[in-house]
């Protein structure tokens, strides 16, 4: 078989091995943001005496960076805006996530957006076995082109997260595509 045919066959196999909309870096970024949220709320010792253990636990390396501020659209609701820290997660050159955490309130807030369609990647993460091992779906509702789902953490039921995202691909490219807010209920 000529080398040109072999290369063409390998290229074709590589192109069809993943769905056209698969964005592994977008999936990795969202999964990392979720892990960061869980780590911040469930293991404060990972950041209380320095951020090294927290960053290592999230597992995104230099894809995630602490920044001084983020746009208003990335902030949690006003009552949750106390002692915030902002993490930018660059998943592609044109899209990514922001993780906002507080060192005084038991909450974290994730937003996602940019010039790439996040919906397929978000749904891939939410339907993954790893996510299902950590989170149990409580309820879901949809309105217009948005699905909002509440999940409870399986390790610690005092932690819950509400995730709102587009109900289908390519629906929300002109605005924030993902909003997730997690809270930890003290005393549970």
């Amino acid at each position: 078989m000529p080398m040109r045919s072999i290369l063409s066959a390998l290229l074709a196999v590589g192109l069809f091995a993943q769905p056209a909309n698969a964005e592994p870096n977008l999936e990795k970024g969202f999964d990392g943001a979720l892990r960061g949220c869980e780590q911040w709320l469930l293991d404060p010792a990972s950041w209380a005496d320095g951020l090294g253990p927290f960053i290592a636990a999230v597992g995104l390396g230099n894809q995630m960076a602490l920044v001084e501020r983020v746009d208003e659209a990335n902030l949690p609701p006003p009552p949750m805006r106390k002692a915030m820290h902002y993490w930018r997660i660059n998943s592609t050159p044109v899209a990514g996530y922001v993780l906002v955490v507080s060192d005084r309130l038991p909450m974290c807030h994730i937003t996602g957006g940019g010039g790439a369609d996040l919906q397929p990647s978000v749904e891939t993460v939410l339907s993954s076995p790893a996510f299902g091992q950590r989170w149990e779906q409580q309820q879901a509702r949809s309105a217009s082109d948005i699905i909002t789902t509440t999940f409870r953490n399986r390790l610690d039921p005092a932690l819950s997260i509400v995730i709102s995202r587009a109900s289908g691909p390519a629906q929300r490219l002109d605005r924030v595509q993902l909003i997730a807010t997690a809270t930890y209920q003290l005393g549970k």
Side-chain angles (χ1 to χ4, degrees):
M1 184 177 245
M3 181 60 95
R4 185 181 197 130
S5 297
I6 293 171
L7 289 175
S8 295
L10 288 174
L11 180 60
V13 168
L15 288 175
F16 293 112
Q18 295 182 345
N21 292 335
E23 288 283 348
N25 284 333
L26 290 172
E27 292 170 22
K28 180 181 175 187
F30 179 50
D31 188 55
L34 289 168
R35 278 194 320 275
C37 189
E38 293 168 66
Q39 186 71 24
W40 192 270
L41 293 171
L42 296 177
D43 187 9
S46 71
W47 53 265
D49 293 325
L51 296 173
F54 170 74
I55 293 168
V58 173
L60 292 175
N62 65 3
Q63 187 179 345
M64 182 175 94
L66 190 61
V67 295
E68 282 190 33
R69 65 180 52 109
V70 294
D71 293 337
E72 177 80 17
N74 295 301
L75 296 176
M80 296 180 171
R81 296 181 187 179
K82 292 181 176 56
M84 295 183 299
H85 304 275
Y86 316 105
W87 298 90
R88 184 169 302 285
I89 299 169
N90 296 318
S91 297
T92 73
V94 298
Y97 306 92
V98 171
L99 170 63
V100 178
V101 295
S102 169
D103 59 26
R104 291 205 190 129
L105 297 176
M107 75 87 198
C108 73
H109 186 74
I110 302 167
T111 54
D117 185 9
L118 303 182
Q119 191 273 346
S121 299
V122 168
E123 290 305 321
T124 297
V125 171
L126 295 180
S127 63
S128 72
F131 181 83
Q133 289 174 349
R134 297 185 335 257
W135 296 94
E136 176 183 17
Q137 181 174 324
Q138 298 294 298
Q139 66 181 29
R141 62 186 184 281
S142 50
S144 185
D145 62 348
I146 299 291
I147 295 174
T148 299
T149 311
T150 303
F151 298 92
R152 183 160 316 283
N153 188 272
R154 292 181 189 274
L155 177 64
D156 190 337
L159 177 60
S160 63
I161 189 166
V162 178
I163 302 174
S164 296
R165 71 266 184 213
S167 60
Q171 291 181 355
R172 298 182 53 85
L173 299 181
D174 61 337
R175 55 194 166 212
V176 173
Q177 298 179 46
L178 166 80
I179 299 173
T181 304
T183 54
Y184 187 90
Q185 298 299 315
L186 298 173
K188 268 197 169 184

